[in-house]
Amino acid sequence: NAGVTQTPKFQVLKTGQSMTLQCAQDMNHEYMSWYRQDPGMGLRLIHYSVGAGITDQGEVPNGYNVSRSTTEDFPLRLLSAAPSQTSVYFCASSSNREKLFFGSGTQLSVL
Amino acid sequence: AQRVTQPEKLLSVFKGAPVELKCNYSYSGSPELFWYVQYSRQRLQLLLRHISRESIKGFTADLNKGETSFHLKKPFAQEEDSAMYYCALQTGANNLFFGTGTRLTVIP
C-alpha cells in the first residue's frame, strides 16, 4: 500500500514548456486534489475531483488543467509554464471528510 | 468566503515551555477545523481535528465559535515538535483551505 505517489520529485522547465505532474493513489479514494505551496502563502487549492469523470476548480486554477479518467489517477497539466508557477505541488486524496493523505510533493522550477 | 489566518509565521519556544499556535477563521457555514503538520523531510499529515476532541502527541485544540478560533496548544514543548504547522478549514466537497502556516522551533 503505497498511499499517494507523485512523480517527478523535481522538475525544471523553461517558460512556455508544457508538462504533466502525475499523481496516483491506491486507497480507492473518491476525492483527490492538487495544492501548491508557496512561502508565506501556505497551501492553495488548484483543482479537485470528487470522483472519476468529475473535476472542479479551486482557489488558483488558472494555467492548470486536470482530468480524472480513473479513480486512481489525477494528473495536473501545465500547458505553457510560467515563472509564477514555480512552486512545490502536492497531491492529496481522501475517502471521507475526516483526513487528507498527501503525496511527497513535486518541486517545480520554471526559468 | 472562507479564510484561515495564522498570524505568526515563526514561533520559537524553549524545550519544556508551553506553546500556543494561533488560528482564526472566517466562514459562514458550520466550521470543521483541522491542524496539519509537516516535519522536516516528511509528508504533510493530519495532527488533529476539532470534531474528535482528541489529544495527539500532547497537543490539543479547542474550537471557540465565539472568537472564531482554533488555537493549538501543548503544555510542555519537545524538540521533536519542531515543524511547520497548518490550520485548515473544511468546506463543502471535502475541500480544505489552509492558513499560511507557522514554523515552530523548539530550542533545546
Side-chain angles (χ1 to χ4, degrees):
Chain A
N1 188 333
V4 179
T5 302
Q6 288 184 237
T7 56
K9 291 191 183 302
F10 302 95
Q11 183 70 51
V12 179
L13 293 177
K14 294 181 179 179
T15 297
Q17 285 185 315
S18 63
M19 81 157 296
T20 299
L21 307 186
Q22 301 291 345
C23 176
Q25 52 91 11
D26 60 1
M27 297 174 282
N28 202 33
H29 287 169
E30 290 296 320
Y31 178 87
M32 296 185 74
S33 56
W34 277 100
Y35 289 87
R36 58 178 289 172
Q37 183 184 43
D38 300 291
M41 304 193 76
L43 284 87
R44 291 180 293 170
L45 182 65
I46 304 172
H47 284 284
Y48 67 97
S49 169
V50 297
I54 306 169
T55 64
D56 208 342
Q57 297 180 348
E59 299 172 88
V60 288
N62 292 341
Y64 307 96
N65 282 349
V66 292
S67 60
R68 185 92 181 271
S69 56
T70 67
T71 298
E72 294 78 21
D73 300 299
F74 190 45
L76 179 72
R77 297 186 185 84
L78 286 72
L79 298 178
S80 179
S84 61
Q85 294 178 303
T86 294
S87 187
V88 181
Y89 292 84
F90 289 97
C91 179
S93 72
S94 172
S95 65
N96 52 38
R97 294 176 59 82
E98 295 182 349
K99 182 177 180 179
L100 273 182
F101 291 84
F102 281 86
S104 57
T106 295
Q107 192 167 322
L108 175 68
S109 294
V110 183
L111 306 176
Chain B
Q2 65 285 326
R3 186 177 181 88
V4 178
T5 303
Q6 292 181 253
E8 303 139 330
K9 290 186 178 180
L10 304 170
L11 182 63
S12 295
V13 300
F14 286 100
K15 177 182 175 181
V19 60
E20 181 180 52
L21 289 84
K22 291 185 167 52
C23 173
N24 289 90
Y25 68 90
S26 173
Y27 182 52
S28 57
S30 182
E32 294 189 43
L33 287 148
F34 302 77
W35 278 97
Y36 278 76
V37 60
Q38 191 172 26
Y39 300 104
S40 180
R41 291 184 292 277
Q42 292 188 28
R43 300 183 184 203
L44 195 63
Q45 57 187 282
L46 177 67
L47 180 63
L48 55 80
R49 47 197 167 99
H50 92 271
I51 200 167
S52 62
R53 300 184 65 80
E54 57 200 344
S55 173
I56 303 294
K57 298 184 179 183
F59 284 98
T60 59
D62 291 320
L63 177 62
N64 186 323
K65 291 187 178 181
E67 296 182 356
T68 60
S69 67
F70 188 57
H71 303 326
L72 184 68
K73 300 177 184 179
K74 184 170 183 177
F76 307 104
Q78 302 299 314
E79 290 179 65
E80 56 265 30
D81 296 329
S82 294
M84 192 75 174
Y85 291 81
Y86 290 98
C87 182
L89 169 69
Q90 188 170 59
T91 64
N94 256 11
N95 292 332
L96 270 183
F97 290 89
F98 288 82
T100 52
T102 297
R103 181 168 297 282
L104 174 66
T105 301
V106 180
I107 304 166

